[in-house]
Amino acid sequence: MAVVEPGDDVHKSHSTVLIKEKHVPAMAKYWTRSEKHQWALGLFCGTAMLYAARTVMPMCVVTVSDEMDWDKTESGTVLSAFFWGYTMTQFLGGYLSDRVGGDVVLPIAACLWSLVTFWTPQFAYLSTDKHTSLYIVVLSRVFLGICQGVVMPAVTSIVCQFVLQNERSAYSGLVISGQYLGTLLTGSIGSLLMEHYGWQIPFYVIGMAGITWMLVVRYCLIDRHRKRYVTTGSASSASLPAKEHQSVPWITLFTKPAFWSLLIGHFCENNAFYILLSWLPTFFHENFPSAKGWVFNVVPWVVTIPSSVGSGWLADHMIKKGYNVTFVRKFMETIALCGTSVFLIFISYTTSYYGALFCMAMAVSCCGFHNSGILVNPQDIAPRHAGSVFGIMNMAGAIPGFVGVYVAGHILEATKSWSAVFNQTAGVCMIGWVVYIIFGTGKQIV
């Protein structure tokens, strides 16, 4: 309790306290240590379910295309269709999450994407005509993308609101590393299920797993969160101060080179990641037909989990030690883009299975450093609008999902050359690195 000395202006002190209290933002209350751990586990598992549902088709596409008589271009169309829908809802997801809360958006999206995943095999058999069946599967993939497009902006909005800035790199790295666990589960358990029971079973299992996760998080985590933070008025979007409801200053953002460098860098890194994510099983099936699917579908994603979590810890450690945030973001992105580029080029000169597996694993592992570079950068440059800015950034990053993945399939169909695919992907990575190194920043710009 403060002691008022003789001669102090009591009224002035009281007025100052009132003014300070008036301007204390409602969002100043962050998660407790226990809550951070609970949400980290919940969001980590959710990201895993997200990517398990996303990657089950790339894992099964060789078997499905043989049964459905799809060529490489048609397979590429199916794989890339997801990203058409994924691009549509990125900004919407960020905007809604900033306004009504990511904890509201997340369970609705999870329910929808899980149901679409579960029913995908049935969609494929709705018609006996090859082209009609192809169109139906493509549309289901587009809708899957629409449902999943809101998720990462929602997660970013949640983390930005309830986690301290000097802990966000490690926290985001941990949460986002769930994507590699999801891909790992699909590649291991999904591959075994497909080999023993047919390609339809992984869709059913992953769809049910997604529904289960949604129900657990909805009733065990989100309910408690909303009772504590929303009903008390400490974190409700409805109780935010007026400045929290200000519209995103897009005109200012679009005139900043740092914002554009964010979009371009994310575009280029995602181009590599999505091509590897979508075509990696096909590459090993064609070049090393005797290789076990569960091996090459597992190893690259196993080594990427430590790189994603470790890079987040390293980034936060460097910031706490006094390194400039801009330097830290560029350092992480250098490892991500340059490392991926180098190992993609090495793959072109590798003829052995183990050499190709090593290069592929290292290329995917380098992608994990992106999570502590550009991926958390929206929280640096626009902390009040992180969800919306992330949505725009991820919308740009989703474009190579349908353009890059489709073009890769077309190149393979036309040239039969995997080297051509990997070399052009490496070149795109280097363009993104140069742009971000020159124009990127870790300072707040809006």
Side-chain angles (χ1 to χ4, degrees), residues 126-439:
L126 282 179
S127 175
T128 55
D129 180 71
K130 170 190 170 181
H131 296 292
T132 303
S133 176
L134 177 64
Y135 295 148
I136 293 172
V137 173
V138 166
L139 286 175
S140 72
R141 294 281 294 169
V142 171
F143 189 68
L144 179 67
I146 288 173
C147 298
Q148 291 202 351
V150 303
V151 175
M152 292 314 296
V155 170
T156 299
S157 182
I158 292 172
V159 171
C160 188
Q161 289 176 10
F162 296 103
V163 178
L164 291 167
Q165 184 180 18
N166 62 0
E167 299 176 353
R168 288 175 192 162
S169 296
Y171 201 87
S172 297
L174 174 61
V175 169
I176 295 170
S177 67
Q179 67 186 14
Y180 308 117
L181 175 64
T183 308
L184 171 63
L185 291 174
T186 301
S188 56
I189 299 174
S191 294
L192 294 174
L193 289 173
M194 182 178 66
E195 289 177 9
H196 290 89
Y197 303 106
W199 66 266
Q200 300 89 347
I201 300 301
F203 285 92
Y204 297 142
V205 171
I206 292 171
M208 287 303 300
I211 290 289
T212 303
W213 171 82
M214 183 273 294
L215 292 173
V216 171
V217 169
R218 174 66 180 82
Y219 293 106
C220 296
L221 198 59
I222 292 177
D223 274 0
R224 266 190 299 170
H225 169 82
R226 294 193 70 77
K227 285 176 183 176
R228 174 166 181 176
Y229 289 93
V230 176
T231 58
T232 61
S234 62
S236 171
S237 59
S239 65
L240 295 178
K243 63 182 180 180
E244 295 291 343
H245 279 308
Q246 290 178 355
S247 60
V248 184
W250 292 117
I251 295 177
T252 302
L253 275 172
F254 278 103
T255 60
K256 300 290 186 180
F259 176 73
W260 285 102
S261 72
L262 200 70
L263 302 187
I264 294 170
H266 192 54
F267 175 97
C268 295
E269 196 279 337
N270 273 15
N271 181 68
F273 181 75
Y274 288 142
I275 286 175
L276 290 173
L277 187 70
S278 300
W279 289 107
L280 184 149
T282 306
F283 168 78
F284 280 101
H285 273 301
E286 289 193 351
N287 290 276
F288 309 101
S290 61
K292 294 291 184 181
W294 66 268
V295 175
F296 58 74
N297 282 325
V298 167
V299 172
W301 310 107
V302 168
V303 299
T304 307
I305 294 175
S307 76
S308 178
V309 176
S311 66
W313 175 86
L314 178 61
D316 282 347
H317 181 72
M318 292 174 69
I319 292 172
K320 290 175 183 177
K321 287 293 184 181
Y323 285 91
N324 184 277
V325 176
T326 300
F327 171 79
V328 173
R329 299 296 178 234
K330 291 182 178 181
F331 177 73
M332 295 298 162
E333 206 56 42
T334 297
I335 299 175
L337 289 169
C338 293
T340 302
S341 180
V342 167
F343 285 107
L344 283 175
I345 292 173
F346 283 170
I347 292 174
S348 302
Y349 298 96
T350 303
T351 56
S352 71
Y353 168 67
Y354 291 107
L357 185 63
F358 173 79
C359 289
M360 195 70 80
M362 295 308 298
V364 177
S365 179
C366 287
C367 291
F369 285 82
H370 180 71
N371 298 341
S372 303
I374 285 177
L375 208 65
V376 295
N377 207 198
Q379 301 174 26
D380 302 320
I381 68 171
R384 287 195 185 124
H385 312 287
S388 299
V389 173
F390 184 92
I392 290 293
M393 182 187 78
N394 222 28
M395 184 169 68
I399 294 173
F402 55 84
V403 175
V405 172
Y406 175 81
V407 168
H410 187 70
I411 290 174
L412 289 172
E413 189 69 26
T415 67
K416 312 298 181 186
S417 171
W418 284 98
S419 295
V421 173
F422 293 140
N423 288 334
Q424 65 91 16
T425 305
V428 172
C429 284
M430 293 309 298
I431 292 172
W433 175 71
V434 170
V435 172
Y436 188 70
I437 288 297
I438 295 174
F439 299 109

